[in-house]
Amino acid sequence: MFVNRTSINGLEICYRVTEGNEPLTVFVHGAGGSSGVWSKQQDGLDGLVKTVAIDLPGHGFSSGNAFSDITDYAKLIANFIPETKPFVIVGHSMGGAIAMELSLTFPNRLLGMVLVCTGAKLKVDPNILESLTLGKVPTGMLERLFGDSYRYDTMQKIIGEMNKVSPHVYQADFLACNKFNRVNDLRRINIPVQIIAGEEDIMTPLKFAEFLNQNISNSKLVTIKGAGHMCMLEKPHEVTNAILDFLKNL
């Protein structure tokens, strides 16, 4: 996969593409993340489905600063994808919030949606926000992203990369998450939705996914056993297969 670049509202936005059949499937990472978190899914779908994984502003290779509002991220995605055929969006955590916001603000743009380890409301611990305001990533915050069964050495390698992300990026993203609340709007979502949850997720617990499933009419819940909040890295084949099954049934 090559890193591609485009300009949106003066920002250089980078993204990774794989080729395949329609529908176009757009992957959106979570807070402090990048398109790289979806590399296993893009590899698994390469040749089968056309995919795009985007680096949001201030993340990965994209320029600019991270946004502190989910609506701004949703508008950027809407501007990023040409208004031709409806597409599928796959969002992890904050990316799931962006996906929901996009589905509610631009309902005619989406063919379907996959929500991975996310919730209709993403309240953030005030202590985390306070620490990030001081320019510090709270001790142990990143370790909480993974399930107990994930390999320690691999987890530490990933956390090492996450620690390179500026606390100001995490701060903006978590402020955006903290303001996000679509609890009362879920019944307005009418497109097919696949909800994927990590059984051991403590950041967005399984009950968050169950609430989404109960309140989005055309939805299905898939639970990934032995996985935490970063289930697409912890159990890549299971997550990829769940996404592929969803796309086949659209």
Side-chain angles (χ1 to χ4, degrees):
M1 286 179 291
F2 296 98
V3 177
N4 301 274
R5 291 172 170 82
T6 190
S7 179
I8 301 176
N9 298 329
L11 297 171
E12 184 179 66
I13 301 300
C14 296
Y15 57 99
R16 301 171 190 269
V17 177
T18 66
E19 295 302 326
N21 298 320
E22 294 182 353
L24 171 65
T25 302
V26 180
F27 288 86
V28 185
H29 61 77
S34 72
S35 59
V37 300
W38 298 112
S39 61
K40 296 292 186 181
Q41 283 67 49
Q42 286 195 287
D43 286 345
L45 296 172
D46 193 10
L48 300 173
V49 180
K50 182 176 178 62
T51 72
V52 174
I54 186 174
D55 286 340
L56 295 171
H59 300 73
F61 294 103
S62 290
S63 70
N65 297 314
F67 297 163
S68 58
D69 194 285
I70 296 298
T71 302
D72 292 335
Y73 279 133
K75 289 178 179 177
L76 181 127
I77 299 295
N79 290 330
F80 173 72
I81 303 298
E83 290 191 51
T84 52
K85 296 182 179 180
F87 61 96
V88 173
I89 188 166
V90 181
H92 170 250
S93 195
M94 182 185 77
I98 295 168
M100 282 182 269
E101 189 67 28
L102 188 68
S103 72
L104 291 164
T105 309
F106 304 95
N108 296 326
R109 299 293 309 277
L110 294 181
L111 182 64
M113 178 165 59
V114 181
L115 303 175
V116 183
C117 297
T118 190
K121 184 178 181 181
L122 297 175
K123 203 72 176 173
V124 179
D125 185 338
N127 293 322
I128 292 178
L129 292 176
E130 182 179 359
S131 181
L132 292 172
T133 300
L134 298 174
K136 299 178 181 178
V137 176
T139 303
M141 183 185 80
L142 299 178
E143 283 79 358
R144 297 178 65 198
L145 298 174
F146 298 88
D148 292 336
S149 59
Y150 197 51
R151 287 184 54 178
Y152 181 80
D153 55 342
T154 308
M155 180 184 75
Q156 289 302 313
K157 183 179 178 181
I158 295 171
I159 288 174
E161 292 299 312
M162 290 178 170
N163 274 320
K164 296 178 183 178
V165 176
S166 166
H168 299 296
V169 172
Y170 284 118
Q171 180 191 16
D173 285 348
F174 282 156
L175 285 172
C177 289
N178 198 49
K179 291 185 288 185
F180 177 73
N181 185 349
R182 284 296 196 171
V183 167
N184 296 323
D185 300 307
L186 296 179
R187 296 191 184 280
R188 291 171 46 206
I189 298 175
N190 297 313
I191 56 174
V193 177
Q194 175 85 293
I195 301 162
I196 300 176
E199 183 184 44
E200 299 177 6
D201 188 355
I202 59 176
M203 299 295 285
T204 52
L206 182 57
K207 65 180 181 180
F208 284 24
E210 291 170 342
F211 182 84
L212 291 173
N213 191 40
Q214 291 163 3
N215 288 276
I216 298 175
S217 59
N218 191 6
S219 66
K220 177 184 176 182
L221 173 60
V222 175
T223 302
I224 308 296
K225 293 184 177 181
H229 191 63
M230 303 300 291
C231 64
M232 67 283 196
L233 298 177
E234 299 170 80
K235 301 285 185 177
H237 298 299
E238 290 87 337
V239 172
T240 301
N241 287 337
I243 294 170
L244 185 57
D245 287 344
F246 174 73
L247 294 174
K248 287 179 178 178
N249 290 322
L250 279 179

